[in-house]
Amino acid sequence: MYSVTVRDHMMIAHSFRGEVFGPAQRLHGATYVVDVEFRRPDIDEDGIVVDIGRAGDTLKHVLGEVNYRNLDEVPAFSGRNTTTEFLARFVFDRMLVAILRGELGPGARAVQSLKVTLHESHVASAAYEGSVAPSA
Amino acid sequence: MYSVTVRDHMMIAHSFRGEVFGPAQRLHGATYVVDVEFRRPDIDEDGIVVDIGRAGDTLKHVLGEVNYRNLDEVPAFSGRNTTTEFLARFVFDRMLVAILRGELGPGARAVQSLKVTLHESHVASAAYEGSVAPSA
Amino acid sequence: MYSVTVRDHMMIAHSFRGEVFGPAQRLHGATYVVDVEFRRPDIDEDGIVVDIGRAGDTLKHVLGEVNYRNLDEVPAFSGRNTTTEFLARFVFDRMLVAILRGELGPGARAVQSLKVTLHESHVASAAYEGSVAPSA
Amino acid sequence: MYSVTVRDHMMIAHSFRGEVFGPAQRLHGATYVVDVEFRRPDIDEDGIVVDIGRAGDTLKHVLGEVNYRNLDEVPAFSGRNTTTEFLARFVFDRMLVAILRGELGPGARAVQSLKVTLHESHVASAAYEGSVAPSA
Amino acid sequence: MYSVTVRDHMMIAHSFRGEVFGPAQRLHGATYVVDVEFRRPDIDEDGIVVDIGRAGDTLKHVLGEVNYRNLDEVPAFSGRNTTTEFLARFVFDRMLVAILRGELGPGARAVQSLKVTLHESHVASAAYEGSVAPSA
Amino acid sequence: MYSVTVRDHMMIAHSFRGEVFGPAQRLHGATYVVDVEFRRPDIDEDGIVVDIGRAGDTLKHVLGEVNYRNLDEVPAFSGRNTTTEFLARFVFDRMLVAILRGELGPGARAVQSLKVTLHESHVASAAYEGSVAPSA
C-alpha cells in the first residue's frame, strides 16, 4: 500500500458542553496542525498517489471554511462538541467529497482510504480514518 | 475508525543480556517518550474517544511504576531484557488493565484497540499494538 | 553561559483589532507550546541552573492564569492585542516575578536572563527575552 | 503486533516528466528523512523485533546506493519518475531482499511486514508498506 | 528583545567543488526547511514585531527565486559553493533588501536583526544572523 | 555570524545526590539528543563554517566516551552530579579540545564559539555555550 501525507493548520475558538471537559467548558481555542494521508494500492503512470499540489490546495480550502472562526457560532456544528475527534471527521468528510467530485484530479479517485490527524499540542492528537469507497 | 493519542515520558536505567546488544550490555539508560493511541469505531455522545484528562493521568501513573528506576532491580522484570519493544508491551498491558477496570471511565470500555509507541531517541522507536477485547 | 529550558502549553481564544490581522480580527484561538529558557553563567553546587521541577510547576501555574480562557475578557489584557509576542512578554513578566519572589528556590535568583518562546503552529513562533536583574 | 523503527536520510537530485509536476519538472533535489518500520507478532528470546544495529547499517547501505546522486542518471531508474512514493518502494524492495538474504540476522526472517516512510519536508511525506512473506 | 519566526522550504539540486565535500562533490540535492527570525526591542502599537502574513509571503517569494532549480546553473551563484551556510546568507541578504525596501510594511524597518536558519536534515542545519541597520 | 549545527545522541545511567532531585536521586537514565553549534563570523574559501563530516565524527567520538555507561562509575565524574547542564559543559570542553588540537581540520580553528544543547525529553533541555578563544 502506498500513501502520501500533506500538512497544514487552522486556528479556532470553541467551548465544550459536558463535565468531562472540565475547564475546556469555557470558551478557549486551539491550533490544529492537520495531516491528511491518502492511500492506494498502486501509484499511477506518473508515479504518484495523488497530485500533491492539488491535495494541499484542497486541504487549505477545507480548513479555510473554519479557520479563524469561533466554532460555537458555525451553524453546521450547532449542538455538537467540536472536539479534536469530531473535527478530524469533519476534515475527512470534506476531503472525501472533494475526491469524489474530482477536485484532486481524476487519478485521485483511485485513492482507497484517508486518514486525517489533528495535532492539538505537543502532547495530544486525534485522528479519523476510513474508506473512500466502502462498498467495493 | 477514530483515535486519540496522549504523550508522556520516563527515564530509566537498565542493561541487556545477549551479544546482539553490543555495548548496551553495560548498565546504561534511556528517556522514553511514550505515545498511547486509543482507537474505537465511534465517538461517544460527548464527541470523544476517551476522557483525555483521565487517559493522561493513567499513563503518568503507569509510567510512575518504573520511572526513575533501574529496571534490572524491578522484580517483575527479573530474567527479561527490558528492551524498548518489551516496555511498549508492558505499558500496553498496564493501560489495558486500567481500561478494563474502568479507571478511564465507563466510556473507555468502548475502546477497541491500543497502540503504545516508545521513542528512545530522534532515530529509533518501538511499538506494541493489540486489541482491548480480543475475544469478541 | 549555561541554560535550562522547560516546555508546557496553553489553549486560548482571542481576537485582534487592526487591519494588519486580516481574518484574525475574528474571534479564533490558538495552542501555544511554551518554552522558558533560564540562563546563568555558572551552575550551583548541585550542578544545576534551576530546580527543573519547580520551574515546570511555576510555568504551569503561570499558564493556568490564562489557559482555557477567552483573552478578550481578561481584564488585565483590556485594550491590548494579545498577540504571540505580547503573550511571550506576559509569560516572561510572570516568570520574572516568580524568580524574584523566590518561588523557584533561592538558587534561581542567580538566573541572569530568561527567554520565553511561544510556538503557535508548525510554521510560526514568537519570543521575548530579557534580563532578570538589569541594574547590576 | 510489535514494531521497531529506525531513521536515516539521503540527499539526491532528480527531475520529473509530466505536467502534473509543474516546476518540479526542472532538475531540483530533496533531502529524504527515511523511517523503516519492521513488524512481527512476537519478539524473540532476546526481547527484540530485529537487531537494531544491523537494521540501521542495512538502511545506510541501501540509501548509500542513491545518496548524493542525480537519480536521472541512475540506470535502474531509467524511464521512471523517482517520486517520493517510488523511492519509498525502492527502499522497501531493497530492505526486503536484505531480510530474505539474512543480512539482518536469521531472526529478522520472522518480520512479517515493513513500512518505509520518506519525509521530504516539514509538510509532506510518502510511504510504502507491504508483506515480507506474502505467500504464507 | 522580541522576535517572530516564520518557516517555509525549498528543494534544490547542486554540487560542490573541494575535496572536503567527499561524495557531495557529485550532483545531488536537498530540501531546506527555512526559518527566518525577525528581532526588535519593542513591539509596535498593534502588538507585533512584523506583519507575519507579509513576512511569510516575502520569504516564499525569496525562496521562489531558487526553488526547484539546479543551483549550479544559477548565474548569481557562479563560481561559488552553494553550501547551507552560503544559502542562509543568500536568504538573509534578500530578506534584508525586502525590509529596507518596505516590502514587509513601514513598521518592519524597526527590525534590528535577522537570523536565517536552514535545516538540511534531521541532524544538520546552518544559519546566518546579522544586523538590519549595522551603521546605527 | 555564521553557524553550523550537527546532532547525535547518547544513552546513559546515573543518579544524583541532593534533595532537590527528588526521585532522580535513584539510579535511573536518559537519552540525550545532542546538538553542537559552531559559530564564526565568516565562512572559508570552500563556503563552510566547519567540515561537517569531521564535526559529526568528532561528536560521535566524544559521546562514545560516555555512551552506554553508568556515569556514577566514570572516574572523571567522581563526586559530581552529572546533570544535563554538567554534561553539556563536558561535551563543550571535549569539542573545544578537539578544535584546538586540529581534529576538525585547520579551518575549524577560526570557530569563535560553540553551543552544546542536550535534549533529555520532549519537554526539557540544557545547554552550555562559550568562546573557543576567550583571550583574543
Side-chain angles (χ1 to χ4, degrees), chain D residues 8 13 28 54 76-78 82 86 96 110 112 117 123 132-133 135:
Chain D
D8 206 328
H28 65 288
R54 282 197 187 193
F77 300 152
S78 181
T82 54
F86 175 89
L96 175 61
Q112 282 196 345
T117 306
V123 291
V132 170
S135 52

Side-chain angles (χ1 to χ4, degrees), chain F residues 5-127:
Chain F
T5 303
V6 296
R7 172 170 286 193
D8 205 327
H9 74 289
M10 60 174 169
M11 305 178 84
I12 58 85
H14 58 176
S15 64
F16 298 138
R17 277 155 299 110
E19 279 184 36
V20 69
F21 296 105
Q25 294 176 82
R26 301 195 298 250
L27 184 62
H28 63 290
T31 305
Y32 293 112
V33 175
V34 182
D35 289 321
V36 180
E37 183 186 8
F38 303 84
R39 299 176 184 142
R40 54 187 278 189
D42 287 298
I43 46 179
D44 69 14
E45 64 273 21
D46 287 318
I48 58 175
V49 162
V50 72
D51 178 343
I52 202 171
R54 281 196 186 194
D57 289 347
T58 301
L59 176 57
K60 191 174 286 299
H61 182 73
V62 166
L63 299 184
E65 197 176 331
V66 289
N67 199 7
Y68 293 118
R69 297 217 174 264
N70 176 2
L71 303 186
D72 292 356
E73 298 178 351
V74 173
F77 299 153
S78 180
R80 303 297 300 270
N81 278 324
T82 55
T83 59
T84 315
E85 295 90 321
F86 175 89
L87 292 169
R89 176 64 182 268
F90 165 76
V91 175
F92 173 91
D93 286 343
R94 286 294 193 269
M95 293 300 298
L96 175 61
V97 167
I99 288 172
L100 297 177
R101 281 182 177 160
E103 294 174 14
L104 277 77
R109 288 205 185 89
V111 170
Q112 282 196 344
S113 63
L114 293 177
K115 181 176 184 180
V116 176
T117 306
L118 271 66
H119 306 269
E120 69 175 58
S121 75
H122 64 306
V123 291
S125 64

Side-chain angles (χ1 to χ4, degrees), chain A residues 1-8 35 37 39 41-43 45-52, chain D residues 17-18 20-21 80-81 83-86 89 115 120 122-130:
Chain A
M1 182 66 68
Y2 288 91
S3 66
V4 158
T5 302
V6 296
R7 173 170 284 193
D8 205 328
D35 289 321
E37 183 185 10
R39 298 176 184 144
D42 288 297
I43 46 179
E45 63 273 21
D46 287 319
I48 59 175
V49 162
V50 71
D51 179 343
I52 202 171
Chain D
R17 278 154 302 108
V20 70
F21 295 105
R80 304 296 301 268
N81 278 323
T83 58
T84 315
E85 295 92 320
F86 175 89
R89 176 65 181 267
K115 182 175 183 179
E120 69 176 59
H122 64 305
V123 291
S125 64
Y128 181 77
E129 59 183 301

Side-chain angles (χ1 to χ4, degrees), chain E residues 81 83 85 123 125-127 129, chain F residues 1-5 7 46-47 49:
Chain E
N81 278 324
T83 58
E85 295 91 322
V123 291
S125 64
E129 58 184 303
Chain F
M1 182 66 68
Y2 288 90
S3 66
V4 158
T5 303
R7 172 170 286 193
D46 287 318
V49 162

